[in-house]
Amino acid sequence: MMNSEKLQQTVVGYCDAVGDLLSSEVVQQMRQYPHHKTVSTFWHSVYVSYLTYRVCGGLHLQQREAARAALLHDFYLYNWYVEKHGEYHIWYHPKTAVKNAERYFGPLTEKQKNMILSHMWPLFVEPPKSREAYVLTFTDKIGATRDLLGLSQRFSPTYACIESELKRRGLLTECQ
């Protein structure tokens, strides 16, 4: 567990990396879509992105690029429990996330595309091609496991710290 000063430093760096994405209306829309039953796609994606940011920092990898891709890894913008597609959600949503990310935020780097497309590996055929992609793949599995076991609420203090930092910067309003 991090002390509050270390947590605040990490949150400031994280918000430097992804604050513009977190405060965008379209990313905020992810709050309305369930991901793992009671956990929204937004909550899951912020957790995975924050954890990816921390792990990549510890491993001296490309933190900013990885955190941004991780935040957008499930950027599919539909309720997959209701809306069905021609292929299973597990294979469909990474491609949709890349399309949406580029539609709303411009071109992704090749590394970011691979990170998003391969985050379901080994269930999805696209393998990770970078250490950052492996980090995202594994942090997503950790996040999904926590969601399914009902442990996601343990992220609440960090999440509140992230929201406070975004509000301090004027990037998030009380309504969001």
Side-chain angles (χ1 to χ4, degrees):
M1 182 128 173
M2 270 194 244
N3 68 40
S4 61
E5 187 176 314
K6 178 71 172 160
L7 172 63
Q8 186 60 37
Q9 287 177 342
T10 305
V11 164
V12 166
Y14 176 71
C15 289
D16 287 344
V18 300
D20 62 318
L21 298 177
L22 282 172
S23 63
S24 73
E25 279 186 42
V26 71
V27 169
Q28 289 292 317
Q29 286 176 23
M30 293 167 63
R31 291 177 184 271
Q32 68 186 339
Y33 302 112
H35 189 57
H36 299 124
K37 299 292 182 187
T38 61
V39 177
S40 74
T41 303
F42 181 82
W43 179 276
H44 170 78
S45 296
V46 172
Y47 175 77
V48 170
S49 176
Y50 180 78
L51 187 55
T52 297
Y53 177 83
R54 286 191 53 207
V55 171
C56 284
L59 296 174
H60 307 291
L61 302 176
Q62 295 178 349
Q63 251 181 320
R64 182 179 191 280
E65 186 174 16
R68 293 176 74 81
L71 184 61
L72 300 172
H73 81 281
D74 283 332
F75 189 45
Y76 48 82
L77 302 174
Y78 59 85
N79 182 339
W80 68 277
Y81 292 100
V82 175
E83 191 173 326
K84 304 300 178 187
H85 302 278
E87 57 184 317
Y88 291 110
H89 173 74
I90 196 170
W91 295 295
Y92 182 81
H93 84 274
K95 294 178 274 186
T96 301
V98 166
K99 287 178 191 169
N100 285 341
E102 292 193 319
R103 174 181 174 197
Y104 292 104
F105 303 111
L108 298 171
T109 66
E110 288 304 311
K111 181 180 283 188
Q112 288 173 321
K113 283 182 196 175
N114 175 256
M115 288 177 70
I116 295 169
L117 290 172
S118 67
H119 82 270
M120 291 304 296
W121 183 82
L123 301 173
F124 191 70
V125 294
E126 175 103 16
K129 295 178 181 172
S130 66
R131 291 178 291 174
E132 291 86 353
Y134 278 104
V135 170
L136 171 55
T137 297
F138 293 119
T139 60
D140 182 52
K141 305 304 177 268
I142 291 167
T145 302
R146 289 175 64 106
D147 293 347
L148 295 170
L149 294 176
L151 301 174
S152 293
Q153 70 278 7
R154 292 183 182 174
F155 182 60
S156 293
T158 303
Y159 182 81
C161 194
I162 292 167
E163 279 195 329
S164 292
E165 179 61 20
L166 292 173
K167 287 176 184 171
R168 187 190 68 74
R169 296 174 183 214
L171 295 174
L172 202 60
T173 64
E174 292 298 325
C175 297
Q176 289 178 306

